[in-house]
Amino acid sequence: MGLRRIALTVILLVSVPVLLCAMPSIERLFSAREHKELPEAALSVHMASDQILVVSFTDSYHPESLPSNPLLSVPTDWLINGQHPIAVYHAARSVNELPKQGNAYPVEVGYSLYLELEEPLENQARYEIESPFGSHSFVFDDSVIFNESIKVNQVGYHPDSTVRYANLGVFLGDGGSREVNEDLPYSVITEGGTMVYSGTVQYRGDDTITNEDTITSGEYVYRLDLSEVERGGPYRIHIAQWGVSHPFSISYEAVDQIATTALRGLYHQRCGTALELPYTPYERDACHTEVALTKTEWGQSTFIDVPKGTPMISITGGHHDAGDFDRRPYHTLVPIMLLSYLEAFPTHFLDAQASIPESGNGLPDLLDEALWAIQGWEALQITDPMDPDYGMVMAGTETSSHPEYGLVQADTDRLTYGTFAVDEQVSAFTAGMMAHASRLLLEYGEVWKARSAQLYERALLAWNALEAAQPTTSTMYAALQLYLTSSTIGENHNANVFHQRFRQEAEALLIEDGYWPEQYRPGNITATCHTFHFSSYLLTNQMVDEELSTALEELLFRQAEKGGYMGFDMDTALYPLGVSKSYGWGAATAQGRYADVHAFAYRLAKSEEERKKQFAILTQYADYALGLNPLGVSFVTGLGSEQPNSPLHLDSWPAIEKGLPPVPGIVLYGPTSGRSGAAYQLAVSDTLYPVWEEQPQQRRWADGWSLVNNNEFTIWETMVWNIALYGAMNTHPLNGR
């Protein structure tokens, strides 16, 4: 259950009006119409420091049931063992959202009231809390009570990393941040309470500034070193009189769980097939197995109205995007990344790892998922010799409008989808991924030779069509993969031609820095040239241009040294978020974007010291989206103690109705700098208090599907990058990794 510290009440699935966003700041969050005390079970308590008790409750979708505005609560409203707190601070945010009901967006708001006490609480003492919002009784035990200020990777840290840590940061809503005694001791304890490690917090920096130009946590940040904690778990961090963290492990098994859950998330986004037992409890029938041959020109905001009588074609393969069921040109990135990481880290990905229908076929499940993605592009390749676009690849599929959350899932979507027109860049990337997959399949035995040959022929078909069209887009990746594959199968004449083309384009785009967006800017998702577009040249045993290969490797390591496009310095970072600018949709949680260059630097490093350095950077990046962030939320569904309740994922709602959590493996966008002014999004973002613009940027998040910039996701912006990151660090000696 996500956000337990705020939302511990039972969710009432009833229709209520949306909270109005036209009201000023505090008042817009609350409009009391009845004075009614909450039941005792609605209040929960945890800690923010040794003298800050946090009382949390929600409005259970009924703001009118609250006796008064929680955001105006004062010390005289509260009694703790008969004494008033010396101060009360306030915070609020949405913790869940139901499907749209009429014109209303039913949102459940959670409140956290921070009660500052004269003295720390005493262990084993009973405390009685009385307030207008209810009463609560508890026995204080600092080895059990949760403390929200301690942030950890809520699944597990890698045992081989030389850098592991938690963060301590006290943030009290409208009470701001608090500094901490730098001599504050902490310990790491087992679930049974046995101490396995102790240390003292280390001050890292003042991160309290709030403005539109700086991506901050709003905290004074302290580090709790875990690098010497032995492999094992589950553990918790314990601070005397403060409480404990969420549980975590330090184990290969935890890392494998992360990698497997992320990969299964992509499986749940498959298009054109049924999802069923025993592979998943999130069952649905096959979807979108036919599309109309409309050949509509691609545009980022283009919808497709399918005229009656338009010819239909069969299609399977590919993956859905976000809250929609389209296939977009950006999705070409997915199989390219999967293939490139498999090539770089072949022992990190196993057959039957993710329990998908193809498990046991002799191929790593990651490769099966890449082949499923490629299958979608195969269906969109023009194979009619009479068609003037013969050999080219259409840029995806789309329909006339967005399907509505709560009304349909993939298999009940009745909208008619059409195809985009053929596209040079899509065709080039498809030619490359087909050749790439063809070559990798040859490593898995005779049984895959026919499929390998089929993909190679498809790749040549796309390449020849591109050559005839005299493309203006880059063909560097396609040329590289066709060179390596043709060389592998002994087609040396073709290999020489492709090699020459790759050398020309690599020199222009990489060594001479190309032209936007065809430039190498690792960590910038809008650039079309990434490490995995040329990494095969640095990994191959085939003949290479040694001078070019050396120059490319040096370029990669220069980018790794400067932290890529973002210029992120992990040594001085307060949180391992990776993004220092362009804090847009998905930038907050897709740490694989920023880790990508370090993954290949780790793979190609010549010295053990360099390998350890790059590996430590990878593992730190992996921690952020799993809970080591200022909000203490895991933004990956199915992983961690604190997870979002309401992602914008249409296939999740039927499961949620049945009592299941959201589909696992989804990497939500998370916090963003700006927000939309659309009423349906304000229904969620306006629940945030302090208000959105007054929050530090890393705290600008509220839970609710209609807040698209926070709670949507895409397979290409967030999911696949973290699949790659988690896979690159998924070393396990028992599996020979």
Side-chain angles (χ1 to χ4, degrees):
M1 179 176 175
L3 288 173
R4 290 188 184 88
R5 66 178 185 272
I6 297 176
L8 289 180
T9 56
V10 176
I11 297 170
L12 303 177
L13 301 182
V14 294
S15 175
V16 295
V18 65
L19 295 171
L20 298 178
C21 61
M23 304 168 69
S25 61
I26 291 179
E27 285 75 12
R28 75 175 52 160
L29 298 176
F30 181 83
S31 180
R33 292 182 289 278
E34 297 178 12
H35 293 277
K36 184 178 179 181
E37 187 174 289
L38 293 173
E40 181 172 343
L43 299 185
S44 66
V45 298
H46 62 271
M47 304 300 291
S49 76
D50 57 342
Q51 291 181 237
I52 304 291
L53 178 69
V54 189
V55 179
S56 299
F57 53 90
T58 83
D59 63 11
S60 296
Y61 297 100
H62 284 288
E64 75 279 3
S65 70
L66 297 177
S68 60
N69 187 343
L71 301 179
L72 299 178
S73 184
V74 295
T76 53
D77 291 337
W78 298 86
L79 287 172
I80 300 116
N81 283 2
Q83 299 293 317
H84 298 302
I86 62 177
V88 177
Y89 310 108
H90 317 83
R93 69 179 71 243
S94 168
V95 297
N96 215 334
E97 183 178 13
L98 303 179
K100 181 181 178 183
Q101 298 178 11
N103 293 320
Y105 293 86
V107 173
E108 182 181 26
V109 180
Y111 298 91
S112 288
L113 299 184
Y114 296 86
L115 310 183
E116 186 167 6
L117 311 176
E118 286 258 13
E119 299 289 340
L121 299 180
E122 295 182 13
N123 267 319
Q124 307 311 315
R126 177 170 290 278
Y127 290 89
E128 304 285 342
I129 300 175
E130 298 175 64
S131 80
F133 307 101
S135 58
H136 186 79
S137 175
F138 70 103
V139 175
F140 179 71
D141 184 341
D142 67 11
S143 68
V144 174
I145 193 167
F146 172 66
N147 188 297
E148 68 172 44
S149 300
I150 309 171
K151 290 90 173 190
V152 300
N153 176 333
Q154 296 167 17
V155 185
Y157 297 86
H158 201 294
D160 293 341
S161 180
T162 57
V163 182
R164 297 191 297 267
Y165 58 87
N167 272 0
L168 179 69
V170 180
F171 188 82
L172 308 176
D174 60 11
S177 187
R178 293 291 177 89
E179 294 183 81
V180 171
N181 184 343
E182 292 188 39
D183 295 326
L184 183 68
Y186 67 93
S187 60
V188 178
I189 60 174
T190 66
E191 291 288 82
T194 302
M195 186 179 73
V196 298
Y197 181 78
S198 63
T200 303
V201 303
Q202 303 167 354
Y203 178 65
R204 293 287 292 181
D206 181 346
D207 202 33
T208 59
I209 188 173
T210 297
N211 61 41
E212 297 305 310
D213 301 318
T214 313
I215 303 168
T216 64
S217 64
E219 303 169 356
Y220 296 99
V221 181
Y222 300 81
R223 181 166 292 186
L224 287 66
D225 183 37
L226 304 175
S227 61
E228 299 299 320
V229 180
E230 62 186 14
R231 177 182 166 191
Y235 298 125
R236 292 180 190 263
I237 293 171
H238 171 244
I239 301 177
Q241 297 186 300
W242 285 58
V244 297
S245 69
H246 287 302
F248 62 91
S249 295
I250 299 175
S251 68
Y252 300 111
E253 292 76 15
V255 175
D256 190 62
Q257 178 192 359
I258 295 166
T260 298
T261 301
L263 182 55
R264 280 183 56 76
L266 191 57
Y267 162 70
H268 283 103
Q269 293 302 106
R270 284 190 182 188
C271 191
T273 188
L275 304 182
E276 53 196 2
L277 294 172
Y279 307 108
T280 178
Y282 297 90
E283 295 183 273
R284 61 164 171 78
D285 292 333
C287 62
H288 309 104
T289 55
E290 278 194 332
V291 294
L293 195 62
T294 52
K295 290 190 176 181
T296 303
E297 285 299 318
W298 154 254
Q300 190 170 0
S301 302
T302 300
F303 286 114
I304 297 177
D305 287 300
V306 177
K308 289 184 178 179
T310 304
M312 305 294 288
I313 60 172
S314 297
I315 183 170
T316 57
H319 299 85
H320 299 144
D321 216 0
D324 310 316
F325 304 121
D326 52 21
R327 304 171 180 91
R328 298 168 75 82
Y330 312 119
H331 292 194
T332 54
L333 183 147
V334 173
I336 293 172
M337 281 193 70
L338 298 181
L339 295 168
S340 298
Y341 273 75
L342 175 62
E343 183 176 19
F345 304 98
T347 61
H348 294 207
F349 306 99
L350 306 178
D351 187 13
Q353 176 184 358
S355 300
I356 60 177
E358 296 85 356
S359 292
N361 66 356
L363 301 180
D365 289 353
L366 184 89
L367 181 52
D368 287 318
E369 212 59 63
L371 291 171
W372 186 265
I374 292 170
Q375 190 174 329
W377 296 112
E378 286 182 273
L380 291 169
Q381 186 174 28
I382 304 297
T383 55
D384 179 0
M386 303 304 294
D387 191 310
D389 292 322
Y390 177 56
M392 297 288 280
V393 182
M394 293 178 281
T397 64
E398 184 56 275
T399 188
S400 57
S401 62
H402 291 306
E404 189 164 333
Y405 180 89
L407 294 184
V408 298
Q409 62 185 77
D411 59 331
T412 59
D413 179 20
R414 296 296 177 255
L415 295 171
T416 302
Y417 287 71
T419 63
F420 287 115
V422 298
D423 181 89
E424 288 182 356
Q425 188 176 73
V426 169
S427 298
F429 282 148
T430 301
M433 72 176 72
M434 288 174 171
H436 202 165
S438 171
R439 175 168 55 87
L440 295 188
L441 280 171
L442 292 175
E443 300 176 16
Y444 294 95
E446 289 288 325
V447 68
W448 297 105
K449 276 194 171 181
R451 179 64 171 139
S452 172
Q454 181 186 49
L455 286 169
Y456 181 64
E457 290 304 314
R458 287 269 197 166
L460 289 175
L461 181 63
W463 177 268
N464 291 334
L466 274 169
E467 288 292 271
Q470 298 182 330
T472 58
T473 191
S474 167
T475 59
M476 181 183 71
Y477 170 69
L480 171 59
Q481 298 305 329
L482 281 163
Y483 159 58
L484 294 175
T485 305
S486 58
S487 178
T488 298
I489 63 177
E491 292 189 358
N492 294 327
H493 173 70
N494 280 342
N496 291 335
V497 172
F498 294 133
H499 194 189
Q500 178 63 21
R501 174 68 67 84
F502 169 73
R503 292 201 300 268
Q504 290 173 349
E505 294 204 25
E507 184 72 31
L509 300 183
L510 298 171
I511 306 304
E512 297 176 5
D513 202 28
Y515 43 87
W516 185 255
E518 293 182 342
Q519 291 179 300
Y520 182 44
R521 299 290 185 270
N524 186 335
I525 197 171
T526 56
T528 58
C529 183
H530 297 283
T531 314
F532 43 81
H533 289 129
F534 65 88
S535 57
S536 295
Y537 203 65
L538 306 180
L539 298 169
T540 185
N541 293 321
Q542 309 275 7
M543 181 186 70
V544 298
D545 180 324
E546 292 292 345
E547 184 177 347
L548 175 60
S549 179
T550 299
L552 292 178
E553 188 169 310
E554 289 174 350
L555 173 63
L556 185 154
F557 276 97
R558 283 199 305 273
Q559 286 287 346
E561 186 62 30
K562 75 173 193 175
Y565 167 76
M566 292 292 176
F568 194 79
D569 183 0
M570 194 65 82
D571 290 337
T572 60
L574 301 181
Y575 277 93
L577 68 161
V579 56
S580 59
K581 52 190 171 184
S582 303
Y583 199 58
W585 295 21
T589 58
Q591 274 64 48
R593 297 186 197 175
Y594 321 118
D596 177 69
V597 67
H598 299 285
F600 286 97
Y602 158 60
R603 171 63 177 80
L604 294 164
K606 301 294 193 299
S607 71
E608 187 62 24
E609 180 182 6
E610 183 67 20
R611 280 178 60 82
K612 287 182 177 180
K613 172 186 172 182
Q614 297 299 336
F615 189 71
I617 293 174
L618 288 184
T619 57
Q620 289 174 80
Y621 274 134
D623 297 334
Y624 188 86
L626 296 169
L628 183 53
N629 56 65
L631 289 172
V633 174
S634 172
F635 290 103
V636 185
T637 59
L639 293 172
S641 302
E642 301 276 355
Q643 300 173 33
N645 293 308
S646 183
L648 178 50
H649 182 231
L650 275 65
D651 281 355
S652 279
W653 174 248
I656 293 170
E657 276 194 302
K658 297 174 184 176
L660 290 172
V663 169
I666 296 169
V667 183
L668 270 64
Y669 285 152
T672 54
S673 176
R675 60 170 174 160
S676 168
Y680 63 92
Q681 298 205 45
L682 292 173
V684 176
S685 64
D686 271 352
T687 68
L688 201 60
Y689 181 80
V691 297
W692 185 280
E693 291 75 16
E694 295 175 5
Q695 292 274 358
Q697 291 197 37
Q698 290 185 69
R699 293 180 176 274
R700 295 181 182 181
W701 176 80
D703 197 351
W705 65 267
S706 69
L707 183 53
V708 179
N709 61 288
N710 275 184
N711 297 306
E712 195 180 32
F713 67 96
T714 64
I715 60 170
W716 70 279
E717 285 174 297
T718 57
M719 289 180 65
V720 74
W721 293 94
N722 284 16
I723 290 170
L725 165 59
Y726 301 147
M729 59 177 274
N730 190 18
T731 60
H732 197 314
L734 296 179
N735 293 326
R737 296 176 182 172

